[in-house]
């Protein structure tokens, strides 16, 4: 699996102080490329024939992180896929 985020296409929606004491929410929008090597047939049936084993697919993705200061830790809160899977040739 590869997560691809092109920094040239990032829009700054809100300016925040990075070193604020409270948690800061960050949303990263990018592209996810993935391949299923060992997915069960039952799992793949949930996608109604859109996905097959051994094929690379790409989809748009947004990942919502919460950054905690001053501890410097990060937590992934939510991952959102657009559920349109394109085969990568």
């Amino acid at each position: 699996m590869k997560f691809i985020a092109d920094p040239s296409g990032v829009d700054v929606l809100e300016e925040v102080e990075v070193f604020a004491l409270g948690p800061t929410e960050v949303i990263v929008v990018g592209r996810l490329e993935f391949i299923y090597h060992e997915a069960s047939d039952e799992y793949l049936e949930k996608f109604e024939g859109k996905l097959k084993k051994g094929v690379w697919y790409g989809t748009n993705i947004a990942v919502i992180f919460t950054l905690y200061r001053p501890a410097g830790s990060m937590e992934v809160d939510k991952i959102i896929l657009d559920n349109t899977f394109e085969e990568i040739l």
Side-chain angles (χ1 to χ4, degrees):
M1 179 172 9
K2 297 182 217 174
F3 177 63
I4 303 159
D6 180 3
S8 67
V10 173
D11 291 327
V12 177
L13 302 177
E14 181 181 352
E15 300 257 349
V16 296
E17 186 177 337
V18 175
F19 297 102
L21 293 178
T24 302
E25 189 174 82
V26 177
I27 301 172
V28 178
V29 177
R31 187 103 180 119
L32 178 70
E33 295 181 356
F34 62 94
I35 186 171
Y36 285 112
H37 288 290
E38 298 180 14
S40 69
D41 292 333
E42 180 181 79
Y43 177 77
L44 290 176
E45 285 174 10
K46 295 178 183 180
F47 296 96
E48 301 172 353
K50 293 180 187 174
L51 302 177
K52 298 176 270 189
K53 290 181 196 176
V55 177
W56 275 99
Y57 293 97
T59 188
N60 295 321
I61 186 172
V63 181
I64 302 172
F65 298 93
T66 301
L67 303 175
Y68 296 95
R69 301 287 181 187
S73 64
M74 178 179 66
E75 195 174 286
V76 175
D77 294 321
K78 188 183 280 187
I79 298 174
I80 304 166
L81 300 174
D82 72 1
N83 286 329
T84 58
F85 306 104
E86 301 168 359
E87 192 171 326
I88 300 171
L89 303 174

